[in-house]
Amino acid sequence: MKDYSYQKFVFERPGILLEIQFSPSSVRLRDHQNLSSESSGDKTNIESHKLGKIVLVVYAFVSILYAVHYFYLSNKNSSSIANEIPILPTVGLSEEKVSREAHQKQKNKVDWLGGQDVVQSTPESFIMSKVFSDAMGPSDIKPYFHQASTVFEKEDITMSTIVTRDRFPVLSRLASHYKGPISAAVHINDDDDMENVLDELYETIKENEDIRTYVDIHLIVDTFDRQFNLWRNVAKLFAQTDYIMMLDVDFHLCTDFRNRIKLDPTIMDMLRTGTTALVVPAFEFTAQEDGLDWQTFPTSKEELMEEVDSGRLDMFHKAWLKGHGSTNYTQWYTSNRLYKVQKYDFSYEPYIIYKKEGSPWCDERFIGYGANKAACLYEIYLSGINYWVLPQDFLIHQTHDYPEETRKKERQYNRKLYSNFREELCLRYSRMFVATNEWDTERANNLKGECQKIRSFSSTLKMSS
């Protein structure tokens, strides 16, 4: 970075050398008179008069230059992290190898502009290690590894999703279908195959203009598999819009809820408060082979109901009723109005649209399958955010294989963690609501309803108050 703390201008005339030194704190004039004895008194007065004019002109010019330098420097240093990091070109990806080497060598810093206009630089990797300190690490996190070429409106809805190597084609399909803001946290294992995976990612970006137009890709490179909540937090943190949808990339967006929401003043007002999350009901085909081709999926509630009545479609994971039962599908089938989730279950895992700022983050202590998303949604609900179900919109799961043996083992561990986590949340948010005088407000109602289900919660709260 160029140092603008000291500059010098020199102005020469016969018999005179005018030197102006300026810094943010001072401007100094030095007049070096020529040793020649030819000057007379009158000539000196005329020369002094001219000199005064010159000084004023030069001083004004220098002041303008300094003001431009100052505002440029201040604006640059207060810019976001996104403007400081290397960004993959949105077009012309013929130099993939060169770009990749630049990414790997780049050591990004975040500049903090202090009250004395003193810039303090902190390595971005150090800040990331604190931001995601509950996760296993270290992880090499590269925000905006690829940045969308579109500038999005703030009051738009970003699909906040997580992606691994086998889902690159699904991400590409989502970009072409949604044609709106997407924030994708892409995890790559730091192993011997990493270069091959990066090749595939570059090729995916290169082949689809919609990815280059709409998708921000944030790269996470480490040796830790299935840190889903860390990945979700990365995607949320770097989303560019005010509202996000926490989406699993395997789900197909069957209806245009994005524009339906944006054009509804009542719903938008609800989202702006930060106390509303909109639930988009999820479905799946009863015969898994029917869910392979998204182009055959229904695109309206009327078409969906025909498939439901025929038995081809049903609520997502019906065998695990707790996962989506709180949506109340029986009510949804006949409803044409937004309705509130009334019977919450701590295993509830809906796909929600909500305000990014002010909402809780996903707890990164949950590693692997089981309870990670439920824990995230449970804390959002306990914080005072109510869930409302959209009556006309829905998602359908695109069939893929599950590693069932791995899921079974990890669920056993996370089940124990989740039990303690729920009690911890109840205690923490109860104390917070009491301390902020919100215990007797509507914001604490979700917590009271859920935490009373936990044994001995009332006595624990009494002791902690």
Side-chain angles (χ1 to χ4, degrees):
M1 182 181 298
K2 186 176 180 180
D3 182 9
Y4 294 105
S5 61
Y6 178 87
Q7 294 286 350
K8 178 172 70 174
F9 279 79
V10 178
F11 182 84
E12 294 184 85
R13 284 173 57 94
I16 296 174
L17 173 64
L18 179 65
E19 179 182 301
I20 300 179
Q21 298 177 353
F22 71 93
S23 68
S25 58
S26 65
V27 175
R28 292 180 293 177
L29 270 169
R30 295 177 59 195
D31 186 358
H32 302 271
Q33 298 289 343
N34 193 300
L35 297 178
S36 171
S37 60
E38 295 179 358
S39 300
S40 66
D42 291 338
K43 183 177 181 180
T44 300
N45 290 336
I46 295 172
E47 201 68 41
S48 297
H49 181 69
K50 291 181 178 180
L51 174 62
K53 289 184 178 181
I54 293 170
V55 168
L56 289 175
V57 171
V58 173
Y59 179 77
F61 176 73
V62 169
S63 298
I64 293 171
L65 283 180
Y66 173 67
V68 171
H69 289 158
Y70 176 81
F71 284 113
Y72 168 78
L73 187 61
S74 298
N75 183 65
K76 181 178 180 182
N77 289 332
S78 60
S79 63
S80 66
I81 293 176
N83 292 326
E84 297 292 334
I85 60 173
I87 294 180
L88 193 66
T90 56
V91 294
L93 292 174
S94 60
E95 302 297 330
E96 296 102 335
K97 297 293 184 181
V98 175
S99 298
R100 184 180 312 163
E101 290 178 2
H103 278 291
Q104 292 172 345
K105 293 179 180 178
Q106 182 75 28
K107 300 297 183 182
N108 300 311
K109 292 182 179 295
V110 177
D111 290 340
W112 309 85
L113 183 61
Q116 303 297 323
D117 295 335
V118 177
V119 177
Q120 298 290 346
S121 294
T122 305
E124 184 181 276
S125 59
F126 181 71
I127 293 177
M128 292 296 181
S129 70
K130 171 56 182 172
V131 171
F132 305 109
S133 58
D134 284 339
M136 292 191 297
S139 297
D140 184 9
I141 299 174
K142 298 184 182 298
Y144 305 100
F145 175 80
H146 165 77
Q147 187 171 31
S149 61
T150 301
V151 177
F152 302 108
E153 296 178 0
K154 295 302 291 182
E155 286 211 325
D156 208 335
I157 301 169
T158 294
M159 295 294 107
S160 179
T161 192
I162 57 181
V163 181
T164 50
R165 178 184 194 175
D166 58 336
R167 297 296 188 272
F168 290 170
V170 187
L171 174 63
S172 181
R173 202 155 59 231
L174 174 64
S176 296
H177 177 66
Y178 186 57
K179 294 188 182 298
I182 299 173
S183 179
V186 175
H187 179 259
I188 296 179
N189 283 312
D190 188 4
D191 56 21
D192 294 339
D193 204 29
M194 182 179 71
E195 286 297 320
N196 293 329
V197 180
L198 282 172
D199 283 338
E200 293 177 20
L201 179 58
Y202 275 93
E203 193 64 25
T204 301
I205 297 170
K206 179 180 178 180
E207 289 179 348
N208 190 344
E209 183 179 355
D210 292 322
I211 287 185
R212 302 195 298 273
T213 303
Y214 301 113
V215 182
D216 292 329
I217 293 177
H218 319 294
L219 200 62
I220 305 168
V221 180
D222 57 34
T223 57
F224 312 111
D225 285 329
R226 297 184 293 282
Q227 293 202 88
F228 300 125
N229 280 354
L230 164 64
W231 304 350
R232 289 186 178 105
N233 286 341
V234 170
K236 175 184 176 181
L237 178 62
F238 298 109
Q240 297 190 47
T241 64
D242 290 342
Y243 311 107
I244 64 171
M245 180 176 190
M246 191 192 304
L247 179 73
D248 287 351
V249 74
D250 294 314
F251 277 85
H252 181 67
L253 313 180
C254 297
T255 56
D256 186 11
F257 55 78
R258 176 190 177 202
N259 283 312
R260 197 192 313 274
I261 291 169
K262 290 171 64 177
L263 294 174
D264 190 317
T266 300
I267 294 180
M268 286 303 299
D269 284 343
M270 293 172 68
L271 281 176
R272 290 186 188 107
T273 66
T275 60
T276 293
L278 303 173
V279 175
V280 183
F283 291 82
E284 68 178 344
F285 284 92
T286 53
Q288 294 297 295
E289 59 270 19
D290 291 337
L292 294 172
D293 185 2
W294 62 273
Q295 297 179 81
T296 65
F297 292 0
T299 58
S300 68
K301 187 172 183 177
E302 291 74 19
E303 293 177 0
L304 175 82
M305 290 308 301
E306 292 179 6
E307 301 281 17
V308 170
D309 292 339
S310 70
R312 294 185 70 238
L313 271 172
D314 211 327
M315 63 175 285
F316 184 60
H317 283 177
K318 186 176 182 179
W320 177 241
L321 189 60
K322 291 184 175 183
H324 290 265
S326 294
T327 297
N328 193 345
Y329 284 77
T330 301
Q331 180 176 355
W332 188 84
Y333 291 147
T334 59
S335 179
N336 58 9
R337 300 179 63 182
L338 196 71
Y339 64 89
K340 189 177 181 180
V341 170
Q342 300 289 350
K343 296 181 179 180
Y344 193 91
D345 190 286
F346 63 80
S347 297
Y348 191 33
E349 296 184 343
Y351 295 97
I352 62 170
I353 299 164
Y354 62 110
K355 190 173 183 177
K356 172 185 168 180
E357 185 177 350
S359 55
W361 300 87
C362 296
D363 197 289
E364 295 158 3
R365 291 174 293 176
F366 290 86
I367 308 297
Y369 293 108
N372 57 82
K373 191 194 307 175
C376 185
L377 291 157
Y378 186 72
E379 182 166 359
I380 291 173
Y381 184 73
L382 255 61
S383 74
I385 297 176
N386 294 310
Y387 290 0
W388 294 80
V389 183
L390 293 170
Q392 299 295 329
D393 299 290
F394 57 92
L395 313 168
I396 295 180
H397 185 250
Q398 302 172 85
T399 300
H400 66 88
D401 293 329
Y402 291 102
E404 286 299 336
E405 188 60 29
T406 301
R407 293 165 71 93
K408 182 178 179 181
K409 293 179 180 178
E410 291 176 341
R411 280 171 176 155
Q412 291 175 351
Y413 167 76
N414 280 334
R415 188 179 299 118
K416 296 178 182 178
L417 177 60
Y418 191 27
S419 178
N420 294 331
F421 176 74
R422 288 169 51 221
E423 188 169 352
E424 173 192 324
L425 281 185
C426 287
L427 177 60
R428 177 154 52 90
Y429 276 94
S430 294
R431 297 187 69 173
M432 184 183 75
F433 289 150
V434 169
T436 57
N437 295 319
E438 294 178 288
W439 179 254
D440 294 320
T441 68
E442 185 177 348
R443 187 183 177 192
N445 287 346
N446 292 347
L447 179 143
K448 292 176 181 178
E450 282 304 300
C451 295
Q452 287 176 358
K453 301 174 185 177
I454 298 177
R455 186 181 305 172
S456 303
F457 168 73
S458 298
S459 59
T460 301
L461 175 62
K462 185 176 180 180
M463 288 187 295
S464 64
S465 298

